[in-house]
Amino acid sequence: YILLLHPALSLVLGAFSARFIFRKGGDLWIKATIAVALLLHIPFSHVLVQDYSPGLKSLAPVVKAAAPSGTMITLFEFHEQPAATFYLDRPSNYADSFADLDKLMSAGGPYFLIIRKVGYLAMSGEFEQRGLRKLAMTDVRDTDLVFLARQ
């Protein structure tokens, strides 16, 4: 989210540096640098509109309907905790192994988990053994996700 500040901070640093390097005619260099920076920014401005979490966005309505507010959502081998907390409106944590997952699930009660589709297909039996059932699966580009629950 700080990405928007980078061009402005770069220009301020460049203007400050140009004052010391080019004592005379520095204003011309500063204006030229700003013009070039603005022109070069045009082809890279798509970075600000790129959607990096389409899977989480498409799962959000299902998660909000199934998991009560305040319920922890675990991301298994999927480190998108800030995006998950934002789009799902639920706290999130992550587990990188089945040992981590077992430790988190040991409290009992309902449990909710999101995993990449590729990982789920490779390890679906492990999740079924732990009582986790598939509630939803996204079909979004290369970021397909599966939402599992133990209720």
Side-chain angles (χ1 to χ4, degrees), residues 108-137:
Y111 194 81
F112 301 93
L113 182 132
I114 295 175
I115 183 173
R116 293 183 195 276
K117 182 179 177 181
V118 173
Y120 172 74
L121 294 175
M123 304 177 277
S124 60
E126 293 286 337
F127 296 110
E128 289 172 5
Q129 288 177 357
R130 289 166 173 78
L132 292 163
R133 301 287 177 250
K134 179 175 68 170
L135 295 183
M137 186 180 309

Side-chain angles (χ1 to χ4, degrees), residues 12-27 29-30 33:
V12 169
L13 183 61
F16 182 74
S17 301
R19 293 261 184 223
F20 290 106
I21 296 171
F22 306 105
R23 298 247 182 227
K24 292 189 179 191
D27 287 343
W29 281 101
I30 291 170
T33 302

Side-chain angles (χ1 to χ4, degrees), residues 40-115:
L40 289 176
H41 180 68
I42 292 170
F44 298 109
S45 62
H46 70 279
V47 172
L48 303 176
V49 296
Q50 179 68 31
D51 185 2
Y52 293 102
S53 303
L56 285 172
K57 283 182 182 179
S58 62
L59 267 184
V62 177
V63 172
K64 289 177 181 179
S69 183
T71 302
M72 184 68 67
I73 308 294
T74 298
L75 309 176
F76 191 79
E77 295 181 346
F78 178 56
H79 294 255
E80 291 290 332
Q81 203 170 357
T85 300
F86 179 77
Y87 291 116
L88 305 177
D89 197 26
R90 307 285 186 272
S92 63
N93 59 10
Y94 57 85
D96 286 326
S97 67
F98 284 108
D100 293 343
L101 182 62
D102 291 339
K103 192 182 307 180
L104 292 169
M105 291 180 70
S106 65
Y111 194 81
F112 301 93
L113 182 132
I114 295 175
I115 183 173

